Amino acid sequence: MSDDLKPTYTEKGKAFERDMDYIPDRILAGEHSADPDDATYGGRDPERDGIQVWPVEPGRYRLVAAPACPWANRSLIVRKLLGLEDVISVGLPGPTHDKRSWTFDRDPGGVDPVLGIERLQQAYFNRFPDYPKGITVPAMVDAESVAVVTNDFPWITHDFFFEWKDHHREGAPDLWPAAQREEMEEVMKRVFTEVNNGVYRCGFAGSQEAYEAAYERLWTAMDWLEERLATRRYLMGDAITEADVRLFTTLVRFDPVYHGHFKCNRNKLTEMPNLWGYARDLFQTPGFGETVDFEQIKAHYYVVHTDINPTGIIPAGPDPAVWETPHGRESLQG
């Protein structure tokens, strides 16, 4: 999801609203999804809703995911956790861009070495010449036609788990445990609406009233998470799930960006013992920390959001070394 898009305000209170209308296509292993709870494509009808189904084919697709973006960071983590590096290649746009698109400015010659394009926008226009919406990451791109397949970020990681199972590494984690599915969906919904999107609701609030309401909602959820993690190592218990991936990408950006830049400053993450220990625990787990680039994260928010930070000055801190300190969460393992 491109964080540079202009926020949409309601008429009353100028509250931030996120546009969740993405390209709905899916990459599926068979006629229907392998997810037993998703036999009808997540409640959407392919013919009615214009969904095109693409086949799972190793080497066919390129995941374009800017490390700076929390929504893209999810897909990078899940790809690594499941061991899909050899079947789904990855393109990494740089952290700063103009209003048109994410760019591959950190690749040699400023061109993605597989897709042969300078801007992700080109892959969108190859599929939809008059694409009217924001050019967002993560995006799955068909490498042969260099055309975007989907940018529907919640379904991208969902399908990495359910549809690419034949290509998972041995011992890959069960990110969607069936026995906890119902509760996990509820937890993920609250994490998304109140925390993942809650920090943006604070940062892009268009009035004092909207900001204060967003701030209260965010911290109510953060306190709920602090309490939940007092007695369990991960959000759903003893094992990492998709819910942890979704929360982590916001937590790892909290002190470097959201605390000050988005005015989420009741306290720092480092001042919440359970959440801070939990975040470090995940960071130090293979698949998480190596996808995090604090330099790119800060460059994106502080340079691209000119309305919030017109000077473009990037803060020097905090010291990322704190993420490698002992977390002590092992004692909560059942």
Side-chain angles (χ1 to χ4, degrees), residues 4 25 35 45 74 92 107-108 153 166 169 202 246 251 261 265 271 280 325 327:
D4 68 313
D25 289 9
D35 179 358
D45 178 80
R74 289 184 185 184
L92 303 173
D107 285 312
F153 69 94
D166 289 345
R169 65 174 176 83
C202 290
R246 295 185 179 197
L251 295 183
H261 187 63
N265 61 349
E271 296 166 345
R280 279 177 292 155
T325 59
H327 53 76

Side-chain angles (χ1 to χ4, degrees), residues 118-173:
E118 297 178 347
R119 296 175 175 275
L120 179 57
Q121 183 185 58
Q122 292 168 261
Y124 277 71
F125 286 173
N126 286 343
R127 176 93 186 275
F128 307 104
D130 298 317
Y131 190 72
K133 303 176 71 64
I135 307 302
T136 65
V137 291
M140 293 291 283
V141 178
D142 178 29
E144 182 176 352
S145 63
V146 193
V148 67
V149 173
T150 181
N151 61 345
D152 202 343
F153 69 94
W155 287 103
I156 289 175
T157 53
H158 170 283
D159 290 346
F160 280 178
F161 179 77
F162 286 103
E163 305 304 324
W164 294 81
K165 271 187 179 293
D166 289 345
H167 307 284
H168 290 182
R169 65 174 176 83
E170 184 178 354

Side-chain angles (χ1 to χ4, degrees), residues 7-304:
T8 301
Y9 302 109
T10 57
E11 289 297 322
K12 183 180 180 180
K14 296 183 179 179
F16 170 68
E17 292 184 350
R18 184 174 296 283
D19 184 354
M20 291 294 291
D21 184 18
Y22 297 100
I23 301 167
D25 289 9
R26 301 278 298 281
I27 300 172
L28 304 181
E31 183 179 355
H32 293 292
S33 172
D35 179 358
D37 292 338
D38 184 38
T40 56
Y41 304 90
R44 296 174 294 185
D45 178 80
E47 184 174 348
R48 180 196 67 203
D49 297 329
I51 299 173
Q52 180 174 334
V53 176
W54 301 66
V56 167
E57 291 183 15
R60 176 171 179 175
Y61 306 101
R62 189 159 176 82
L63 169 65
V64 178
C69 171
W71 321 99
N73 197 173
R74 289 184 185 184
S75 61
L76 293 173
I77 293 171
V78 171
R79 175 177 171 269
K80 278 188 172 290
L81 290 177
L82 299 179
L84 294 173
E85 295 98 321
D86 291 337
V87 295
I88 301 173
S89 69
V90 68
L92 303 173
T96 59
H97 50 79
D98 58 25
K99 295 179 180 180
R100 287 187 290 170
S101 177
W102 295 88
T103 59
F104 298 97
D105 53 281
R106 297 202 170 191
D107 285 312
V111 175
D112 180 89
V114 171
L115 301 177
I117 57 177
E118 297 178 347
R119 296 175 175 275
L120 179 57
Q121 183 185 58
Q122 292 168 261
Y124 277 71
F125 286 173
N126 286 343
R127 176 93 186 275
F128 307 104
D130 298 317
Y131 190 72
K133 303 176 71 64
I135 307 302
T136 65
V137 291
M140 293 291 283
V141 178
D142 178 29
E144 182 176 352
S145 63
V146 193
V148 67
V149 173
T150 181
N151 61 345
D152 202 343
F153 69 94
W155 287 103
I156 289 175
T157 53
H158 170 283
D159 290 346
F160 280 178
F161 179 77
F162 286 103
E163 305 304 324
W164 294 81
K165 271 187 179 293
D166 289 345
H167 307 284
H168 290 182
R169 65 174 176 83
E170 184 178 354
D174 182 1
L175 297 180
W176 292 79
Q180 297 174 305
R181 179 69 179 269
E182 184 175 354
E183 182 188 5
M184 192 177 86
E185 294 276 12
E186 293 175 358
V187 169
M188 291 194 301
K189 181 178 180 180
R190 187 171 184 184
V191 166
F192 174 71
T193 59
E194 305 305 299
V195 181
N196 299 148
N197 200 41
V199 293
Y200 286 87
R201 197 180 294 114
C202 290
F204 289 148
S207 72
Q208 188 69 34
E209 179 184 20
Y211 164 71
E212 291 179 2
Y215 182 92
E216 181 175 354
R217 285 178 61 178
L218 169 66
W219 286 106
T220 296
M222 291 287 279
D223 288 339
W224 163 68
L225 289 166
E226 177 73 4
E227 182 178 355
R228 183 179 180 91
L229 290 165
T231 57
R232 61 186 81 199
R233 186 168 182 180
Y234 305 112
L235 282 177
M236 303 309 302
D238 292 342
I240 291 171
T241 66
E242 171 93 7
D244 298 298
V245 176
R246 295 185 179 197
L247 176 58
F248 172 78
T249 58
T250 295
L251 295 183
V252 81
R253 288 162 174 75
F254 200 89
D255 286 2
V257 176
Y258 303 142
H259 177 271
H261 187 63
F262 277 176
K263 307 178 185 69
C264 303
N265 61 349
R266 190 192 75 177
N267 53 257
K268 297 177 181 177
L269 177 67
T270 55
E271 296 166 345
M272 304 186 78
N274 299 327
L275 272 169
W276 174 226
Y278 162 83
R280 279 177 292 155
D281 190 0
L282 291 176
F283 184 89
Q284 294 167 31
T285 299
F288 284 83
E290 63 260 43
T291 70
V292 175
D293 188 319
F294 288 109
E295 180 265 327
Q296 291 201 46
I297 288 170
K298 291 191 294 183
H300 174 69
Y301 287 91
Y302 288 102
V303 172
V304 171

